[in-house]
Amino acid sequence: MAKRTLVRAAAVLGAASLALAGCSSDSGDESASGGDGAAASATTVTTDCTPEEATAGTAPSTAPLKIGTLLPDTGSLSFLGPPMVAGTQLGVNDVNAAGGVLGQPVQLIPGDSGDTTTDTANSTVDRELAAGTQVIVGAASSSVSLKVIDKVASAGVVMFSPANTSDQFVCYADKGQYFRTAPTDVLQAQAVSQLISDDGGQRVSVLALNDPYGTGLADNIVKNLADAGIPEDQIQKIIYDPNAQSFNSEIDQVKDFAPDAVAVVGFEESAKIITRMHEVGIGPSDGMKVYGVDGNMGNALGEAVAPPLLDGMQGTTPLTDVGPAFQDRLKGINGALIDFNYAGESYDAVVVSALAAEAAKSTAGRDIAANINNVTEGGTPCTSYQECLPLVQAGTDIDYNGVTGKLDFSDAGEPSIGSYGKMKFGADNKLTTDGYIVVGE
């Protein structure tokens, strides 16, 4: 298999709107150009390493594969739980329908992750480790994952997140036991920059909150815009304190810069920022091209801002066109589903884990981890567990392309290709998907 050493600037995200606390602090410029007012001191996370990779053990196990879940049934991210739970269950169902793993059915052990305000995740992990799980699917939030990753990795168990996008995990000392099916934010920066460039942006302001997610994503957006041919003096970067009482100073700087496009990298405080932008005549509904990211491109923003202030705002969020057939199958698991975010990623985490166990001829966690990257790239393409299983059993090197598309895991155990929905708000502040952007191919 081809090897990749990752050297890249990084961003950190807790899924949806749960911010991950900054991990390092550097004094940073408030703008690439044009910023002349006070700004928050930027914190950044960079990665420059060869990620740890797991090594198979010397004692293969043929015990039944047990997959635990660490997904948000409760807490601030509970709205993300249902599609991920359904995707995980559907994945287990399909694996078992095709013969299971090593001729035995996979056992699913559900568990709640809660959020960072509770110790639910640790309690769930303790229970699942005691039950003998070899794979844990979760968590949704990077912050929650960081609370338990050491415990899971030290136990020799695979931790497989369907929703973490933090690049902090690239070089994390995880013994090669951590994986994810969600693309990293370095890829999202490419998608946002492509969206801005395709719309003809030539003078761009980037507003970003001061945490590793915000500053890392902003830095990469600026870099990608410059790579696309926009001169550095036509790009303004402003880092703000998300807990500030007012964003008037930052918005005034943006207005003075007179951009033709504005990217807002933030979470719930984005509602105040957009509202203030409208008050000074540079909001989306005023004709300014405004772009968001997965931290704010959700219906929660539409509910927090008066209509039609978001009309025309565009942005990106990790999203794959899984198609109506897969969505119908998910509804067969949970008929109350109203969205499908990260359902495909959860499904693929299960299938990849099962295929890796078959490739290893072992259900030991370290053996599974040592084979996960290999079953996602470089071999004979296959698109389902049923199709891939006989190939693996025959000793064929496979390339599983899941319901989320090509995975092509890098050495860090993450997709090297990212699919993002092009999201757009209407005059009713409702969000719709207007196509997809695939980067990294």
PDB file of all heavy atoms in Angstrom, residues 188 191-193 195-196 207 213 217 221 262-266 270 274 284 289-298 301 312-317 420-425 431:
ATOM      1  N   GLN A 188     -11.906  20.673   4.403  1.00  0.00           N
ATOM      2  CA  GLN A 188     -13.021  21.613   4.339  1.00  0.00           C
ATOM      3  C   GLN A 188     -12.555  22.995   3.886  1.00  0.00           C
ATOM      4  O   GLN A 188     -13.271  23.694   3.155  1.00  0.00           O
ATOM      5  CB  GLN A 188     -13.739  21.739   5.691  1.00  0.00           C
ATOM      6  CG  GLN A 188     -14.902  22.712   5.617  1.00  0.00           C
ATOM      7  CD  GLN A 188     -15.828  22.707   6.812  1.00  0.00           C
ATOM      8  OE1 GLN A 188     -16.989  23.076   6.696  1.00  0.00           O
ATOM      9  NE2 GLN A 188     -15.342  22.293   7.954  1.00  0.00           N
ATOM     10  N   ALA A 191     -12.668  23.105   0.302  1.00  0.00           N
ATOM     11  CA  ALA A 191     -14.031  23.185  -0.228  1.00  0.00           C
ATOM     12  C   ALA A 191     -14.592  24.597  -0.120  1.00  0.00           C
ATOM     13  O   ALA A 191     -15.209  25.111  -1.062  1.00  0.00           O
ATOM     14  CB  ALA A 191     -14.926  22.196   0.515  1.00  0.00           C
ATOM     15  N   VAL A 192     -14.388  25.251   1.029  1.00  0.00           N
ATOM     16  CA  VAL A 192     -14.879  26.623   1.213  1.00  0.00           C
ATOM     17  C   VAL A 192     -14.197  27.560   0.215  1.00  0.00           C
ATOM     18  O   VAL A 192     -14.853  28.407  -0.419  1.00  0.00           O
ATOM     19  CB  VAL A 192     -14.632  27.101   2.655  1.00  0.00           C
ATOM     20  CG1 VAL A 192     -15.023  28.570   2.805  1.00  0.00           C
ATOM     21  CG2 VAL A 192     -15.413  26.254   3.648  1.00  0.00           C
ATOM     22  N   SER A 193     -12.886  27.416   0.083  1.00  0.00           N
ATOM     23  CA  SER A 193     -12.143  28.283  -0.831  1.00  0.00           C
ATOM     24  C   SER A 193     -12.596  28.081  -2.272  1.00  0.00           C
ATOM     25  O   SER A 193     -12.704  29.050  -3.039  1.00  0.00           O
ATOM     26  CB  SER A 193     -10.645  27.999  -0.707  1.00  0.00           C
ATOM     27  OG  SER A 193     -10.200  28.218   0.610  1.00  0.00           O
ATOM     28  N   LEU A 195     -15.583  27.170  -3.200  1.00  0.00           N
ATOM     29  CA  LEU A 195     -16.900  27.789  -3.313  1.00  0.00           C
ATOM     30  C   LEU A 195     -16.771  29.298  -3.519  1.00  0.00           C
ATOM     31  O   LEU A 195     -17.450  29.893  -4.373  1.00  0.00           O
ATOM     32  CB  LEU A 195     -17.713  27.484  -2.055  1.00  0.00           C
ATOM     33  CG  LEU A 195     -19.186  27.871  -2.035  1.00  0.00           C
ATOM     34  CD1 LEU A 195     -19.948  27.225  -3.181  1.00  0.00           C
ATOM     35  CD2 LEU A 195     -19.811  27.476  -0.693  1.00  0.00           C
ATOM     36  N   ILE A 196     -15.884  29.929  -2.744  1.00  0.00           N
ATOM     37  CA  ILE A 196     -15.672  31.377  -2.870  1.00  0.00           C
ATOM     38  C   ILE A 196     -15.097  31.720  -4.246  1.00  0.00           C
ATOM     39  O   ILE A 196     -15.564  32.655  -4.916  1.00  0.00           O
ATOM     40  CB  ILE A 196     -14.737  31.876  -1.751  1.00  0.00           C
ATOM     41  CG1 ILE A 196     -15.411  31.727  -0.382  1.00  0.00           C
ATOM     42  CG2 ILE A 196     -14.344  33.339  -1.983  1.00  0.00           C
ATOM     43  CD1 ILE A 196     -14.487  32.000   0.797  1.00  0.00           C
ATOM     44  N   LEU A 207     -13.435  35.950   8.872  1.00  0.00           N
ATOM     45  CA  LEU A 207     -13.672  36.160  10.301  1.00  0.00           C
ATOM     46  C   LEU A 207     -13.672  34.797  10.976  1.00  0.00           C
ATOM     47  O   LEU A 207     -14.449  33.918  10.591  1.00  0.00           O
ATOM     48  CB  LEU A 207     -15.029  36.830  10.522  1.00  0.00           C
ATOM     49  CG  LEU A 207     -15.116  38.348  10.561  1.00  0.00           C
ATOM     50  CD1 LEU A 207     -16.585  38.765  10.524  1.00  0.00           C
ATOM     51  CD2 LEU A 207     -14.456  38.893  11.818  1.00  0.00           C
ATOM     52  N   TYR A 213      -9.907  25.221  16.049  1.00  0.00           N
ATOM     53  CA  TYR A 213     -10.785  25.006  14.905  1.00  0.00           C
ATOM     54  C   TYR A 213     -10.854  26.262  14.048  1.00  0.00           C
ATOM     55  O   TYR A 213     -10.617  26.229  12.840  1.00  0.00           O
ATOM     56  CB  TYR A 213     -12.177  24.609  15.401  1.00  0.00           C
ATOM     57  CG  TYR A 213     -13.278  24.743  14.368  1.00  0.00           C
ATOM     58  CD1 TYR A 213     -13.269  23.990  13.209  1.00  0.00           C
ATOM     59  CD2 TYR A 213     -14.335  25.631  14.574  1.00  0.00           C
ATOM     60  CE1 TYR A 213     -14.288  24.109  12.273  1.00  0.00           C
ATOM     61  CE2 TYR A 213     -15.355  25.752  13.648  1.00  0.00           C
ATOM     62  CZ  TYR A 213     -15.327  24.998  12.494  1.00  0.00           C
ATOM     63  OH  TYR A 213     -16.325  25.115  11.573  1.00  0.00           O
ATOM     64  N   LEU A 217      -8.766  26.583  10.520  1.00  0.00           N
ATOM     65  CA  LEU A 217      -9.568  26.612   9.307  1.00  0.00           C
ATOM     66  C   LEU A 217      -9.371  27.931   8.573  1.00  0.00           C
ATOM     67  O   LEU A 217      -9.248  27.969   7.340  1.00  0.00           O
ATOM     68  CB  LEU A 217     -11.041  26.396   9.666  1.00  0.00           C
ATOM     69  CG  LEU A 217     -12.044  26.139   8.547  1.00  0.00           C
ATOM     70  CD1 LEU A 217     -11.528  25.149   7.529  1.00  0.00           C
ATOM     71  CD2 LEU A 217     -13.369  25.654   9.140  1.00  0.00           C
ATOM     72  N   ILE A 221      -8.020  28.434   4.791  1.00  0.00           N
ATOM     73  CA  ILE A 221      -8.836  29.138   3.797  1.00  0.00           C
ATOM     74  C   ILE A 221      -8.004  30.219   3.122  1.00  0.00           C
ATOM     75  O   ILE A 221      -7.991  30.349   1.889  1.00  0.00           O
ATOM     76  CB  ILE A 221     -10.106  29.736   4.440  1.00  0.00           C
ATOM     77  CG1 ILE A 221     -11.071  28.622   4.847  1.00  0.00           C
ATOM     78  CG2 ILE A 221     -10.785  30.706   3.475  1.00  0.00           C
ATOM     79  CD1 ILE A 221     -12.271  29.113   5.658  1.00  0.00           C
ATOM     80  N   VAL A 262     -17.230  37.383   2.259  1.00  0.00           N
ATOM     81  CA  VAL A 262     -16.862  37.257   3.674  1.00  0.00           C
ATOM     82  C   VAL A 262     -17.088  35.811   4.114  1.00  0.00           C
ATOM     83  O   VAL A 262     -18.175  35.257   3.911  1.00  0.00           O
ATOM     84  CB  VAL A 262     -17.695  38.189   4.575  1.00  0.00           C
ATOM     85  CG1 VAL A 262     -17.297  38.011   6.049  1.00  0.00           C
ATOM     86  CG2 VAL A 262     -17.538  39.642   4.152  1.00  0.00           C
ATOM     87  N   ALA A 263     -16.071  35.191   4.707  1.00  0.00           N
ATOM     88  CA  ALA A 263     -16.200  33.858   5.289  1.00  0.00           C
ATOM     89  C   ALA A 263     -16.269  33.990   6.799  1.00  0.00           C
ATOM     90  O   ALA A 263     -15.426  34.668   7.399  1.00  0.00           O
ATOM     91  CB  ALA A 263     -15.023  32.975   4.893  1.00  0.00           C
ATOM     92  N   VAL A 264     -17.268  33.371   7.408  1.00  0.00           N
ATOM     93  CA  VAL A 264     -17.440  33.410   8.856  1.00  0.00           C
ATOM     94  C   VAL A 264     -17.206  32.005   9.401  1.00  0.00           C
ATOM     95  O   VAL A 264     -17.984  31.090   9.132  1.00  0.00           O
ATOM     96  CB  VAL A 264     -18.845  33.910   9.248  1.00  0.00           C
ATOM     97  CG1 VAL A 264     -18.987  33.937  10.768  1.00  0.00           C
ATOM     98  CG2 VAL A 264     -19.106  35.294   8.661  1.00  0.00           C
ATOM     99  N   VAL A 265     -16.139  31.851  10.155  1.00  0.00           N
ATOM    100  CA  VAL A 265     -15.784  30.562  10.743  1.00  0.00           C
ATOM    101  C   VAL A 265     -16.112  30.638  12.229  1.00  0.00           C
ATOM    102  O   VAL A 265     -15.352  31.201  13.018  1.00  0.00           O
ATOM    103  CB  VAL A 265     -14.292  30.241  10.537  1.00  0.00           C
ATOM    104  CG1 VAL A 265     -13.949  28.876  11.148  1.00  0.00           C
ATOM    105  CG2 VAL A 265     -13.927  30.291   9.067  1.00  0.00           C
ATOM    106  N   GLY A 266     -17.272  30.110  12.607  1.00  0.00           N
ATOM    107  CA  GLY A 266     -17.695  30.240  13.992  1.00  0.00           C
ATOM    108  C   GLY A 266     -18.754  29.236  14.370  1.00  0.00           C
ATOM    109  O   GLY A 266     -19.083  28.324  13.596  1.00  0.00           O
ATOM    110  N   SER A 270     -22.063  33.164  15.634  1.00  0.00           N
ATOM    111  CA  SER A 270     -22.235  33.621  14.259  1.00  0.00           C
ATOM    112  C   SER A 270     -23.546  34.376  14.080  1.00  0.00           C
ATOM    113  O   SER A 270     -23.648  35.260  13.218  1.00  0.00           O
ATOM    114  CB  SER A 270     -22.197  32.425  13.293  1.00  0.00           C
ATOM    115  OG  SER A 270     -20.978  31.722  13.390  1.00  0.00           O
ATOM    116  N   ILE A 274     -23.676  37.868  12.092  1.00  0.00           N
ATOM    117  CA  ILE A 274     -24.495  38.102  10.895  1.00  0.00           C
ATOM    118  C   ILE A 274     -25.473  39.250  11.128  1.00  0.00           C
ATOM    119  O   ILE A 274     -25.694  40.092  10.237  1.00  0.00           O
ATOM    120  CB  ILE A 274     -25.262  36.821  10.506  1.00  0.00           C
ATOM    121  CG1 ILE A 274     -24.282  35.683  10.169  1.00  0.00           C
ATOM    122  CG2 ILE A 274     -26.198  37.084   9.332  1.00  0.00           C
ATOM    123  CD1 ILE A 274     -23.412  35.929   8.976  1.00  0.00           C
ATOM    124  N   PRO A 284     -25.739  38.948   4.359  1.00  0.00           N
ATOM    125  CA  PRO A 284     -26.133  38.168   3.182  1.00  0.00           C
ATOM    126  C   PRO A 284     -27.342  38.749   2.465  1.00  0.00           C
ATOM    127  O   PRO A 284     -27.364  38.813   1.225  1.00  0.00           O
ATOM    128  CB  PRO A 284     -26.450  36.785   3.767  1.00  0.00           C
ATOM    129  CG  PRO A 284     -25.725  36.727   5.054  1.00  0.00           C
ATOM    130  CD  PRO A 284     -25.687  38.120   5.583  1.00  0.00           C
ATOM    131  N   LYS A 289     -21.751  38.480  -0.435  1.00  0.00           N
ATOM    132  CA  LYS A 289     -21.561  37.038  -0.506  1.00  0.00           C
ATOM    133  C   LYS A 289     -20.912  36.571   0.793  1.00  0.00           C
ATOM    134  O   LYS A 289     -19.742  36.878   1.056  1.00  0.00           O
ATOM    135  CB  LYS A 289     -20.693  36.675  -1.709  1.00  0.00           C
ATOM    136  CG  LYS A 289     -21.355  36.983  -3.053  1.00  0.00           C
ATOM    137  CD  LYS A 289     -20.444  36.649  -4.220  1.00  0.00           C
ATOM    138  CE  LYS A 289     -21.126  36.953  -5.547  1.00  0.00           C
ATOM    139  NZ  LYS A 289     -20.238  36.684  -6.714  1.00  0.00           N
ATOM    140  N   VAL A 290     -21.685  35.870   1.591  1.00  0.00           N
ATOM    141  CA  VAL A 290     -21.228  35.424   2.901  1.00  0.00           C
ATOM    142  C   VAL A 290     -21.208  33.900   2.919  1.00  0.00           C
ATOM    143  O   VAL A 290     -22.146  33.245   2.457  1.00  0.00           O
ATOM    144  CB  VAL A 290     -22.133  35.966   4.023  1.00  0.00           C
ATOM    145  CG1 VAL A 290     -21.650  35.489   5.395  1.00  0.00           C
ATOM    146  CG2 VAL A 290     -22.172  37.497   3.989  1.00  0.00           C
ATOM    147  N   TYR A 291     -20.141  33.348   3.495  1.00  0.00           N
ATOM    148  CA  TYR A 291     -19.937  31.903   3.497  1.00  0.00           C
ATOM    149  C   TYR A 291     -19.708  31.405   4.919  1.00  0.00           C
ATOM    150  O   TYR A 291     -19.004  32.043   5.706  1.00  0.00           O
ATOM    151  CB  TYR A 291     -18.729  31.537   2.628  1.00  0.00           C
ATOM    152  CG  TYR A 291     -18.862  32.009   1.205  1.00  0.00           C
ATOM    153  CD1 TYR A 291     -18.486  33.308   0.853  1.00  0.00           C
ATOM    154  CD2 TYR A 291     -19.411  31.200   0.218  1.00  0.00           C
ATOM    155  CE1 TYR A 291     -18.629  33.778  -0.447  1.00  0.00           C
ATOM    156  CE2 TYR A 291     -19.564  31.654  -1.086  1.00  0.00           C
ATOM    157  CZ  TYR A 291     -19.173  32.941  -1.414  1.00  0.00           C
ATOM    158  OH  TYR A 291     -19.338  33.399  -2.701  1.00  0.00           O
ATOM    159  N   GLY A 292     -20.310  30.265   5.234  1.00  0.00           N
ATOM    160  CA  GLY A 292     -20.133  29.654   6.533  1.00  0.00           C
ATOM    161  C   GLY A 292     -19.464  28.301   6.411  1.00  0.00           C
ATOM    162  O   GLY A 292     -19.109  27.847   5.317  1.00  0.00           O
ATOM    163  N   VAL A 293     -19.320  27.644   7.556  1.00  0.00           N
ATOM    164  CA  VAL A 293     -18.685  26.329   7.627  1.00  0.00           C
ATOM    165  C   VAL A 293     -19.568  25.426   8.484  1.00  0.00           C
ATOM    166  O   VAL A 293     -20.636  25.832   8.936  1.00  0.00           O
ATOM    167  CB  VAL A 293     -17.267  26.448   8.214  1.00  0.00           C
ATOM    168  CG1 VAL A 293     -16.343  27.174   7.242  1.00  0.00           C
ATOM    169  CG2 VAL A 293     -17.293  27.162   9.559  1.00  0.00           C
ATOM    170  N   ASP A 294     -19.109  24.202   8.717  1.00  0.00           N
ATOM    171  CA  ASP A 294     -19.978  23.258   9.409  1.00  0.00           C
ATOM    172  C   ASP A 294     -20.297  23.673  10.830  1.00  0.00           C
ATOM    173  O   ASP A 294     -21.286  23.226  11.396  1.00  0.00           O
ATOM    174  CB  ASP A 294     -19.383  21.846   9.379  1.00  0.00           C
ATOM    175  CG  ASP A 294     -18.023  21.774  10.030  1.00  0.00           C
ATOM    176  OD1 ASP A 294     -17.317  22.799  10.074  1.00  0.00           O
ATOM    177  OD2 ASP A 294     -17.642  20.680  10.491  1.00  0.00           O
ATOM    178  N   GLY A 295     -19.467  24.545  11.423  1.00  0.00           N
ATOM    179  CA  GLY A 295     -19.753  25.010  12.771  1.00  0.00           C
ATOM    180  C   GLY A 295     -20.964  25.911  12.862  1.00  0.00           C
ATOM    181  O   GLY A 295     -21.527  26.086  13.953  1.00  0.00           O
ATOM    182  N   ASN A 296     -21.374  26.505  11.738  1.00  0.00           N
ATOM    183  CA  ASN A 296     -22.532  27.405  11.788  1.00  0.00           C
ATOM    184  C   ASN A 296     -23.569  27.153  10.693  1.00  0.00           C
ATOM    185  O   ASN A 296     -24.671  27.710  10.753  1.00  0.00           O
ATOM    186  CB  ASN A 296     -22.098  28.883  11.754  1.00  0.00           C
ATOM    187  CG  ASN A 296     -21.156  29.210  10.606  1.00  0.00           C
ATOM    188  OD1 ASN A 296     -21.161  28.565   9.563  1.00  0.00           O
ATOM    189  ND2 ASN A 296     -20.327  30.224  10.811  1.00  0.00           N
ATOM    190  N   MET A 297     -23.256  26.330   9.703  1.00  0.00           N
ATOM    191  CA  MET A 297     -24.211  26.101   8.617  1.00  0.00           C
ATOM    192  C   MET A 297     -25.220  25.018   9.007  1.00  0.00           C
ATOM    193  O   MET A 297     -25.207  23.895   8.487  1.00  0.00           O
ATOM    194  CB  MET A 297     -23.477  25.722   7.337  1.00  0.00           C
ATOM    195  CG  MET A 297     -22.715  26.867   6.702  1.00  0.00           C
ATOM    196  SD  MET A 297     -23.744  28.284   6.240  1.00  0.00           S
ATOM    197  CE  MET A 297     -24.679  27.596   4.874  1.00  0.00           C
ATOM    198  N   GLY A 298     -26.089  25.388   9.923  1.00  0.00           N
ATOM    199  CA  GLY A 298     -27.139  24.486  10.369  1.00  0.00           C
ATOM    200  C   GLY A 298     -28.418  25.257  10.604  1.00  0.00           C
ATOM    201  O   GLY A 298     -28.426  26.495  10.672  1.00  0.00           O
ATOM    202  N   LEU A 301     -28.698  28.111  13.246  1.00  0.00           N
ATOM    203  CA  LEU A 301     -28.394  29.500  12.912  1.00  0.00           C
ATOM    204  C   LEU A 301     -29.623  30.190  12.347  1.00  0.00           C
ATOM    205  O   LEU A 301     -29.902  31.352  12.671  1.00  0.00           O
ATOM    206  CB  LEU A 301     -27.243  29.558  11.902  1.00  0.00           C
ATOM    207  CG  LEU A 301     -26.820  30.963  11.445  1.00  0.00           C
ATOM    208  CD1 LEU A 301     -26.334  31.800  12.619  1.00  0.00           C
ATOM    209  CD2 LEU A 301     -25.726  30.865  10.373  1.00  0.00           C
ATOM    210  N   GLY A 312     -29.368  33.870   1.025  1.00  0.00           N
ATOM    211  CA  GLY A 312     -28.236  33.852   0.109  1.00  0.00           C
ATOM    212  C   GLY A 312     -26.934  33.385   0.724  1.00  0.00           C
ATOM    213  O   GLY A 312     -25.965  33.125  -0.007  1.00  0.00           O
ATOM    214  N   MET A 313     -26.862  33.261   2.042  1.00  0.00           N
ATOM    215  CA  MET A 313     -25.628  32.784   2.675  1.00  0.00           C
ATOM    216  C   MET A 313     -25.357  31.340   2.268  1.00  0.00           C
ATOM    217  O   MET A 313     -26.251  30.495   2.274  1.00  0.00           O
ATOM    218  CB  MET A 313     -25.731  32.888   4.199  1.00  0.00           C
ATOM    219  CG  MET A 313     -24.485  32.424   4.934  1.00  0.00           C
ATOM    220  SD  MET A 313     -24.613  32.687   6.732  1.00  0.00           S
ATOM    221  CE  MET A 313     -23.062  31.972   7.292  1.00  0.00           C
ATOM    222  N   GLN A 314     -24.118  31.059   1.908  1.00  0.00           N
ATOM    223  CA  GLN A 314     -23.726  29.724   1.497  1.00  0.00           C
ATOM    224  C   GLN A 314     -22.643  29.188   2.431  1.00  0.00           C
ATOM    225  O   GLN A 314     -22.054  29.938   3.204  1.00  0.00           O
ATOM    226  CB  GLN A 314     -23.177  29.745   0.063  1.00  0.00           C
ATOM    227  CG  GLN A 314     -24.149  30.233  -0.988  1.00  0.00           C
ATOM    228  CD  GLN A 314     -23.515  30.174  -2.359  1.00  0.00           C
ATOM    229  OE1 GLN A 314     -23.383  29.101  -2.963  1.00  0.00           O
ATOM    230  NE2 GLN A 314     -23.099  31.326  -2.861  1.00  0.00           N
ATOM    231  N   GLY A 315     -22.366  27.893   2.309  1.00  0.00           N
ATOM    232  CA  GLY A 315     -21.312  27.320   3.126  1.00  0.00           C
ATOM    233  C   GLY A 315     -21.192  25.834   2.891  1.00  0.00           C
ATOM    234  O   GLY A 315     -21.847  25.255   2.018  1.00  0.00           O
ATOM    235  N   THR A 316     -20.340  25.209   3.688  1.00  0.00           N
ATOM    236  CA  THR A 316     -20.065  23.788   3.526  1.00  0.00           C
ATOM    237  C   THR A 316     -20.251  23.046   4.842  1.00  0.00           C
ATOM    238  O   THR A 316     -20.117  23.618   5.923  1.00  0.00           O
ATOM    239  CB  THR A 316     -18.618  23.558   3.044  1.00  0.00           C
ATOM    240  OG1 THR A 316     -17.709  24.147   3.992  1.00  0.00           O
ATOM    241  CG2 THR A 316     -18.393  24.172   1.684  1.00  0.00           C
ATOM    242  N   THR A 317     -20.534  21.776   4.722  1.00  0.00           N
ATOM    243  CA  THR A 317     -20.541  20.866   5.855  1.00  0.00           C
ATOM    244  C   THR A 317     -20.233  19.470   5.320  1.00  0.00           C
ATOM    245  O   THR A 317     -20.602  19.158   4.181  1.00  0.00           O
ATOM    246  CB  THR A 317     -21.906  20.879   6.589  1.00  0.00           C
ATOM    247  OG1 THR A 317     -21.788  20.198   7.839  1.00  0.00           O
ATOM    248  CG2 THR A 317     -22.999  20.247   5.773  1.00  0.00           C
ATOM    249  N   TYR A 420     -18.346  17.365   0.648  1.00  0.00           N
ATOM    250  CA  TYR A 420     -19.018  18.419   1.401  1.00  0.00           C
ATOM    251  C   TYR A 420     -20.284  18.876   0.677  1.00  0.00           C
ATOM    252  O   TYR A 420     -20.293  19.026  -0.549  1.00  0.00           O
ATOM    253  CB  TYR A 420     -18.087  19.628   1.592  1.00  0.00           C
ATOM    254  CG  TYR A 420     -16.885  19.282   2.432  1.00  0.00           C
ATOM    255  CD1 TYR A 420     -15.740  18.759   1.838  1.00  0.00           C
ATOM    256  CD2 TYR A 420     -16.905  19.420   3.808  1.00  0.00           C
ATOM    257  CE1 TYR A 420     -14.653  18.393   2.602  1.00  0.00           C
ATOM    258  CE2 TYR A 420     -15.819  19.062   4.588  1.00  0.00           C
ATOM    259  CZ  TYR A 420     -14.695  18.554   3.973  1.00  0.00           C
ATOM    260  OH  TYR A 420     -13.622  18.181   4.737  1.00  0.00           O
ATOM    261  N   GLY A 421     -21.327  19.083   1.440  1.00  0.00           N
ATOM    262  CA  GLY A 421     -22.537  19.642   0.877  1.00  0.00           C
ATOM    263  C   GLY A 421     -22.393  21.134   0.673  1.00  0.00           C
ATOM    264  O   GLY A 421     -21.833  21.836   1.523  1.00  0.00           O
ATOM    265  N   LYS A 422     -22.854  21.635  -0.472  1.00  0.00           N
ATOM    266  CA  LYS A 422     -22.937  23.080  -0.707  1.00  0.00           C
ATOM    267  C   LYS A 422     -24.279  23.532  -0.139  1.00  0.00           C
ATOM    268  O   LYS A 422     -25.330  23.302  -0.730  1.00  0.00           O
ATOM    269  CB  LYS A 422     -22.850  23.380  -2.203  1.00  0.00           C
ATOM    270  CG  LYS A 422     -21.521  23.040  -2.831  1.00  0.00           C
ATOM    271  CD  LYS A 422     -21.577  23.123  -4.352  1.00  0.00           C
ATOM    272  CE  LYS A 422     -21.942  24.488  -4.849  1.00  0.00           C
ATOM    273  NZ  LYS A 422     -21.906  24.554  -6.333  1.00  0.00           N
ATOM    274  N   MET A 423     -24.235  24.149   1.010  1.00  0.00           N
ATOM    275  CA  MET A 423     -25.441  24.524   1.730  1.00  0.00           C
ATOM    276  C   MET A 423     -25.796  25.980   1.444  1.00  0.00           C
ATOM    277  O   MET A 423     -24.914  26.831   1.280  1.00  0.00           O
ATOM    278  CB  MET A 423     -25.252  24.307   3.234  1.00  0.00           C
ATOM    279  CG  MET A 423     -24.582  22.991   3.608  1.00  0.00           C
ATOM    280  SD  MET A 423     -25.425  21.529   2.970  1.00  0.00           S
ATOM    281  CE  MET A 423     -26.927  21.572   3.952  1.00  0.00           C
ATOM    282  N   LYS A 424     -27.108  26.259   1.426  1.00  0.00           N
ATOM    283  CA  LYS A 424     -27.539  27.632   1.141  1.00  0.00           C
ATOM    284  C   LYS A 424     -28.806  27.952   1.918  1.00  0.00           C
ATOM    285  O   LYS A 424     -29.742  27.160   1.972  1.00  0.00           O
ATOM    286  CB  LYS A 424     -27.785  27.814  -0.359  1.00  0.00           C
ATOM    287  CG  LYS A 424     -28.074  29.251  -0.772  1.00  0.00           C
ATOM    288  CD  LYS A 424     -28.121  29.396  -2.291  1.00  0.00           C
ATOM    289  CE  LYS A 424     -28.302  30.842  -2.710  1.00  0.00           C
ATOM    290  NZ  LYS A 424     -28.298  30.997  -4.188  1.00  0.00           N
ATOM    291  N   PHE A 425     -28.826  29.138   2.525  1.00  0.00           N
ATOM    292  CA  PHE A 425     -30.009  29.618   3.227  1.00  0.00           C
ATOM    293  C   PHE A 425     -30.918  30.383   2.265  1.00  0.00           C
ATOM    294  O   PHE A 425     -30.444  31.151   1.421  1.00  0.00           O
ATOM    295  CB  PHE A 425     -29.628  30.561   4.375  1.00  0.00           C
ATOM    296  CG  PHE A 425     -29.135  29.856   5.605  1.00  0.00           C
ATOM    297  CD1 PHE A 425     -27.780  29.818   5.917  1.00  0.00           C
ATOM    298  CD2 PHE A 425     -30.034  29.243   6.480  1.00  0.00           C
ATOM    299  CE1 PHE A 425     -27.327  29.181   7.058  1.00  0.00           C
ATOM    300  CE2 PHE A 425     -29.599  28.603   7.618  1.00  0.00           C
ATOM    301  CZ  PHE A 425     -28.235  28.564   7.911  1.00  0.00           C
ATOM    302  N   LEU A 431     -32.318  25.973   5.471  1.00  0.00           N
ATOM    303  CA  LEU A 431     -31.119  25.517   4.800  1.00  0.00           C
ATOM    304  C   LEU A 431     -31.441  24.411   3.801  1.00  0.00           C
ATOM    305  O   LEU A 431     -32.207  23.494   4.098  1.00  0.00           O
ATOM    306  CB  LEU A 431     -30.140  24.983   5.854  1.00  0.00           C
ATOM    307  CG  LEU A 431     -28.663  24.842   5.495  1.00  0.00           C
ATOM    308  CD1 LEU A 431     -28.085  26.187   5.086  1.00  0.00           C
ATOM    309  CD2 LEU A 431     -27.902  24.275   6.691  1.00  0.00           C
TER     310      LEU A 431
END
